[in-house]
Amino acid sequence: MSKNHFLRSIAENDIKNGKHDYVYTRFPPEPNGYLHLGHAKSICLNFGLANDLNGKCNLRFDDTNPEKEDEEYAESIRQSVEWLGFKWSKLCYASDYYDQLHGFAVELIEKGLAYVDDLNAEQMREYRGTLTEAGKNSPSRARPISENLDLFERMRKGEFDEGQYTLRAKIDMTSPNMTLRDPIIYRIRYAHHYRAGDKWCIYPMYDFTHCISDALEGITHSFCTLEFQDNRALYDWVLSNITIDENLNGEKGKLMPRQIEFGRSNLEFTIASKRKLIQLVKDGHVSGWDDPRLTTLVGLKRRGYTPKSIRDFCAEIGVTKKDSVIEMTVLENAIRHDLEASAKRVFGVLKPLRVVITNYPEGQSETFTVKNHPKDDEMGTREIPFGREIYIDHDDFMLDPPKKFFRLGPGREVRLRYGYAITCNDVIHDDKGDVIELRCTYDPLTAKGQTSDGRRIKGIIHWVSATHALDAEVRVYDRLYTEPNPSAADDFITLLNADSLRVFADAKLEPSLAQGKQEDRYQFERVGYFCFDEKDNSTNKIVMNRTVSLRDTWAKVKR
RNA sequence: UGGGGUGUAGCCAAGUGGCCUAAGGCACCGGAUUUUGAUUCCGGCAUUCGAAGGUUCGAAUCCUUCCACCCCAGCCA
């Protein structure tokens, strides 16, 4: 159940007042790109509201521009909607309504409410006027109905060139609302449509198509974003001037869908513009539409975001009439919250530093049985092997540590989580002076959290047995841009974060991960949440992605 | 500047004349618990609702004026 918001109130009141018996919404993407977080908000709104109020919701492709659309996009959109956890009542395509749409256009012509215009694009711009000056009527506006009918039919038959003629609604060239200045409702396009094929060479425009599609499907509430507020007048004009005696559900009578607008939400440090996304993909700045740094739904999925976390995020940001900019931490909080409860705990070392425990007998090993989740016993236990040589993370050792560093340093003692306490006696450097190995001793009396003398060991670090460790490549992602609002820049490419992807090619993982499942999520204790990469992980090579880090107050202290 | 919208904390966002000396989440700051510097817990965080006037016993909510920001002049959606 999502939260209350003004659209839900409107829908509920419409039912309470008897205006409608049910709510029927639709999610209407154009199949010209991949879905992103902004679409998720619309999906959760439309499907979520229908679910909550026992109504229906269609997935409808608004596919009236053959030049931009493709089945590849449509397929991905269907998958993303399903992945988010929603089921459509009907799968619809505006392109399935082309015949009916054509009929309604003829009806408008017959009523003297539409005419065929021969103005070219440039002339039309001149006649349209400006924001502050009225437009003037095209000479074609006076064309007789019979001639309009004939010309429109010949447009349909393909007797003219692209751009030679358009069909326009006859409304008001002096309207202060620009969308009402005799909008084009049909244009000539000799383009192959991914579904309709080559049947048509005239294609209906959005404003004409959308309202009629809604009416045909019996939609009660047509939610869209704020920039369509001016278009609402045209939406209503079209529907009040055509005749729909019966909709596709067999309902009779005038059932007017109502368009209501809500504000877009933008996420800081991201770009949703399709044009710019295409540029990133084409120029190789990212690996594809599903690059884990992108906030496309396929990218978020590959990154390890769960459908629930995205639904929760959408509920959290709300629905209002105000465009908003959401901080990244809200999204991160949503996925951390979900994964904290559901992810199995494991040990993974991203930057391995070899540690030899000199007083542990050579060739000996033992296993510790540990919980998969600290609070959820139903998630069971697993065994982790321990031996003379282990790896710890380089970040857990400092040659000259500051006071508050509760980890390893020369002469210091830390606890190996679930294991013994070790003390660092020697530090081995290579020729360049870099630390490459630690020599430590362990205290056999410190298993199970105890110490023999009651001393308190503050530091606890994770580790993995060197002889049992799995090799893996671990990819760690950061924000793609260096600025919170990259879209505002002249050239957003210059704002790309050079460190948005860090690859840890020599990561060492605990052996239980060999039985890991693609769909499972893991918490590398003290590090973050990880998943297997859906494309590059294989039986030969383990590849994992960091979904999000754990909250890190130590990182703040360091700063 | 014609038309259409929006303005409540750093970011979202409840609230639609009195129980508002304004919910909740994120962020931030304490403090407790903790074999994850995680989680959890407890506490703090707007005398003020874009500004100024006005109406009213009483206003974030009503009125007036002003200010700021967003959208519209595609044969895109």
Side-chain angles (χ1 to χ4, degrees):
Chain A
M1 193 82 165
S2 52
K3 290 183 175 180
N4 196 27
H5 52 70
F6 80 106
L7 294 176
R8 171 194 283 266
S9 304
I10 289 172
E12 285 175 339
N13 283 333
D14 285 345
I15 291 177
K16 201 161 56 185
N17 302 335
K19 182 179 177 188
H20 297 294
D21 296 330
Y22 53 84
V23 299
Y24 206 146
T25 57
R26 97 274 93 110
F27 170 62
E30 183 187 15
N32 67 343
Y34 287 75
L35 261 26
H36 55 74
L37 222 37
H39 293 107
K41 176 175 178 176
S42 176
I43 292 168
C44 290
L45 166 63
N46 282 291
F47 284 95
L49 192 61
N51 285 164
D52 290 350
L53 303 184
N54 242 309
K56 291 181 173 183
C57 180
N58 291 350
L59 170 59
R60 178 170 75 232
F61 288 97
D62 220 335
D63 52 357
T64 56
N65 185 355
E67 288 163 331
K68 289 190 173 175
E69 297 152 5
D70 196 89
E71 175 56 27
E72 176 199 343
Y73 296 129
E75 172 61 15
S76 165
I77 289 168
R78 279 181 236 114
Q79 285 175 3
S80 286
V81 171
E82 287 185 314
W83 175 71
L84 263 188
F86 296 107
K87 284 190 165 53
W88 44 81
S89 305
K90 283 186 189 170
L91 181 58
C92 305
Y93 298 83
S95 52
D96 284 347
Y97 309 140
Y98 281 173
D99 285 318
Q100 287 157 94
L101 258 0
H102 174 79
F104 291 123
V106 171
E107 180 184 352
L108 285 181
I109 297 173
E110 285 170 341
K111 286 177 170 170
L113 292 173
Y115 61 97
V116 173
D117 201 347
D118 50 33
L119 252 32
N120 65 32
E122 192 186 328
Q123 292 167 320
M124 207 170 288
R125 201 177 312 123
E126 283 164 18
Y127 274 80
R128 189 154 34 226
T130 68
L131 295 177
T132 51
E133 297 159 39
K136 55 185 189 214
N137 288 164
S138 162
S140 305
R141 211 173 197 264
R143 201 188 297 280
I145 290 174
S146 57
E147 201 179 314
N148 284 323
L149 251 12
D150 176 59
L151 249 19
F152 187 51
E153 176 59 9
R154 289 166 63 194
M155 281 170 66
R156 207 210 91 228
K157 282 180 172 165
E159 292 186 20
F160 307 122
D161 294 335
E162 283 190 6
Q164 193 177 154
Y165 285 104
T166 56
L167 182 68
R168 294 230 258 168
K170 191 185 286 185
I171 308 181
D172 180 6
M173 287 307 291
T174 68
S175 173
N177 180 346
M178 299 297 289
T179 66
L180 260 20
R181 318 249 262 228
D182 287 12
I184 293 172
I185 56 177
Y186 263 92
R187 78 286 211 184
I188 300 172
R189 270 300 104 91
Y190 292 97
H192 182 82
H193 188 276
Y194 78 104
R195 291 189 80 246
D198 298 308
K199 181 181 176 189
W200 297 87
C201 65
I202 54 171
Y203 288 92
M205 299 285 286
Y206 163 83
D207 285 300
F208 183 67
T209 308
H210 203 96
C211 53
I212 294 176
S213 304
D214 284 343
L216 287 175
E217 291 172 22
I219 300 304
T220 56
H221 302 268
S222 180
F223 302 129
C224 63
T225 42
L226 252 28
E227 70 270 26
F228 292 102
Q229 286 175 117
D230 289 341
N231 302 244
R232 188 173 64 239
L234 180 50
Y235 183 105
D236 292 338
W237 184 92
V238 171
L239 289 184
S240 54
N241 283 298
I242 62 165
T243 312
I244 296 182
D245 293 323
E246 185 177 332
N247 68 25
L248 266 24
N249 306 322
E251 293 165 317
K252 295 178 169 50
K254 196 133 195 158
L255 299 160
M256 277 280 278
R258 185 189 2 167
Q259 173 183 309
I260 313 169
E261 310 83 12
F262 64 93
R264 283 178 187 272
S265 291
N266 300 297
L267 228 211
E268 275 189 346
F269 297 99
T270 63
I271 285 183
S273 148
K274 257 163 215 164
R275 206 201 87 234
K276 290 175 179 168
L277 245 27
I278 287 171
Q279 189 183 338
L280 287 179
V281 174
K282 264 178 56 187
D283 296 350
H285 297 293
V286 296
S287 62
W289 289 96
D290 62 352
D291 189 290
R293 290 166 293 183
L294 259 22
T295 48
T296 52
L297 297 186
V298 286
L300 289 165
K301 172 172 179 278
R302 190 172 170 191
R303 173 85 169 247
Y305 274 81
T306 57
K308 180 183 186 316
S309 71
I310 301 204
R311 279 186 254 117
D312 289 348
F313 168 76
C314 290
E316 204 51 64
I317 64 176
V319 181
T320 66
K321 293 205 71 162
K322 191 174 79 171
D323 287 327
S324 57
V325 181
I326 314 293
E327 289 178 347
M328 196 66 110
T329 52
V330 181
L331 215 212
E332 290 175 347
N333 176 260
I335 187 61
R336 283 196 186 112
H337 188 80
D338 188 14
L339 262 23
E340 154 61 27
S342 61
K344 293 180 185 169
R345 270 57 173 175
V346 292
F347 284 166
V349 174
L350 267 39
K351 291 195 275 181
L353 173 60
R354 179 176 293 268
V355 172
V356 179
I357 297 159
T358 53
N359 61 338
Y360 195 86
E362 240 164 299
Q364 184 176 314
S365 71
E366 62 190 294
T367 59
F368 302 117
T369 302
V370 305
K371 293 211 258 181
N372 286 329
H373 189 107
K375 291 180 183 168
D376 185 357
D377 289 341
E378 287 186 12
M379 288 179 73
T381 60
R382 67 186 193 284
E383 309 264 288
I384 52 175
F386 174 76
R388 190 169 193 265
E389 295 194 11
I390 61 171
Y391 293 111
I392 66 166
D393 198 289
H394 238 293
D395 290 345
D396 286 333
F397 174 81
M398 275 183 97
L399 263 181
D400 187 18
K403 263 210 188 65
K404 292 274 207 169
F405 188 78
F406 309 140
R407 306 177 190 180
L408 208 51
R412 292 200 181 203
E413 183 179 36
V414 288
R415 173 174 294 285
L416 297 175
R417 182 148 159 89
Y418 296 128
Y420 303 104
I422 58 170
T423 301
C424 176
N425 306 311
D426 271 310
V427 180
I428 315 238
H429 301 261
D430 64 7
D431 302 340
K432 288 178 290 184
D434 290 336
V435 175
I436 54 164
E437 187 178 306
L438 265 26
R439 295 291 166 104
C440 299
T441 48
Y442 86 111
D443 178 349
L445 270 17
T446 53
K448 303 260 186 309
Q450 267 95 51
T451 50
S452 52
D453 56 4
R455 69 183 185 280
R456 191 139 183 263
I457 302 166
K458 177 79 177 165
I460 297 159
I461 63 174
H462 57 101
W463 52 277
V464 75
S465 164
T467 49
H468 303 86
L470 264 23
D471 292 316
E473 174 177 315
V474 175
R475 299 169 182 171
V476 170
Y477 305 98
D478 198 355
R479 41 187 61 147
L480 231 201
Y481 303 94
T482 54
E483 294 290 325
N485 183 12
S487 334
D490 295 331
D491 181 10
F492 75 102
I493 295 294
T494 61
L495 263 30
L496 283 169
N497 174 10
D499 296 320
S500 61
L501 168 62
R502 276 184 298 154
V503 177
F504 293 93
D506 307 312
K508 304 287 183 184
L509 312 180
E510 68 164 65
S512 76
L513 249 0
Q515 277 80 51
K517 293 199 197 78
Q518 180 66 248
E519 64 273 17
D520 281 348
R521 298 293 187 282
Y522 299 91
Q523 184 196 93
F524 288 7
E525 293 206 43
R526 303 206 312 128
V527 182
Y529 295 100
F530 294 79
C531 67
F532 290 105
D533 185 78
E534 58 189 33
K535 275 196 174 159
D536 299 333
N537 182 60
S538 70
T539 45
N540 303 324
K541 184 184 181 188
I542 298 176
V543 179
M544 297 190 80
N545 294 322
R546 187 180 76 182
T547 307
V548 66
S549 68
L550 250 35
R551 254 195 208 94
D552 189 358
T553 47
W554 167 242
K556 280 172 204 154
V557 172
K558 277 192 293 187
R559 274 187 262 118

